[in-house]
């Protein structure tokens, strides 16, 4: 894999971000261009490029990311009101950063179908 992604630079503190949670496997920080009053990104420290390229070796970290969404939702106080978690994958999915991340959108009513 080539150059560092923007998210690896955030993990390595080479560029600033507003971090709300971190542990040995992942980090969660506020999206720089929020699409809801609360917009967080949960990112594995191991660079998995996208969900379509994850392998069975990634099973534990993928589960950890999901439980981190739950943990952050409780920590930030929007678990009960509800929220949306999104993974964009590839061109049609609207993926911009080739480093797996789970969006958490909260504190407004979400619509369906999504845009
Ligand atoms: P994607 O479209 O790949 O699913 O989402 C990438 C997300 O990363 C976008 O919502 C974008 O606003 C966010 N993002 C891109 N660059 C930065 C950055 O430097 N800092 C932060 N906090 N978020 C970023």
């Amino acid at each position: 894999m080539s150059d560092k992604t923007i998210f690896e630079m955030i993990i390595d503190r080479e560029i600033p971000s507003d971090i709300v949670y971190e542990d040995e496997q992942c980090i969660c920080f506020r999206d720089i261009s929020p699409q809801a009053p609360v917009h967080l990104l949960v990112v594995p420290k191991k660079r998995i490029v996208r969900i379509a390229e994850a392998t069975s070796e990634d099973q534990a970290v993928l589960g950890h990311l999901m439980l981190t969404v739950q943990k952050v939702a409780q920590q930030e106080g929007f678990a009960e009101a509800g929220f949306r978690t999104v993974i964009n994958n590839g061109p049609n999915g609207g993926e911009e950063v080739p480093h797996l991340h789970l969006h958490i959108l909260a504190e407004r009513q979400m619509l369906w179908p999504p845009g």
Side-chain angles (χ1 to χ4, degrees):
M1 236 172 289
S2 55
D3 297 338
K4 275 186 173 181
T5 65
I6 195 90
F7 294 163
E8 286 169 297
M9 289 190 251
I10 287 172
I11 291 164
D12 292 342
R13 306 303 202 268
E14 291 170 6
I15 61 170
S17 68
D18 187 353
I19 296 167
V20 301
Y21 176 81
E22 183 173 20
D23 61 29
E24 68 286 351
Q25 293 188 75
C26 71
I27 190 166
C28 177
F29 52 86
R30 295 187 194 282
D31 196 294
I32 202 167
S33 177
Q35 302 302 308
V38 174
H39 187 171
L40 306 172
L41 300 172
V42 178
V43 181
K45 291 186 173 176
K46 173 188 174 182
R47 185 181 174 196
I48 299 167
V49 174
R50 58 185 60 85
I51 196 68
E53 295 180 31
T55 71
S56 56
E57 283 182 14
D58 301 319
Q59 185 164 325
V61 71
L62 294 175
H64 183 78
L65 297 175
M66 299 296 277
L67 291 175
T68 299
V69 169
Q70 178 198 75
K71 184 178 284 187
V72 168
Q74 288 168 352
Q75 173 190 300
E76 298 299 306
F78 54 78
E80 197 171 326
F83 57 91
R84 180 168 291 173
T85 301
V86 173
I87 299 176
N88 296 325
N89 189 102
N92 279 358
E95 174 200 303
E96 291 175 8
V97 179
H99 183 145
L100 179 65
H101 49 283
L102 284 64
H103 295 257
I104 306 174
L105 300 149
E107 303 293 4
R108 71 165 167 84
Q109 180 63 56
M110 299 299 150
L111 303 176
W112 196 263

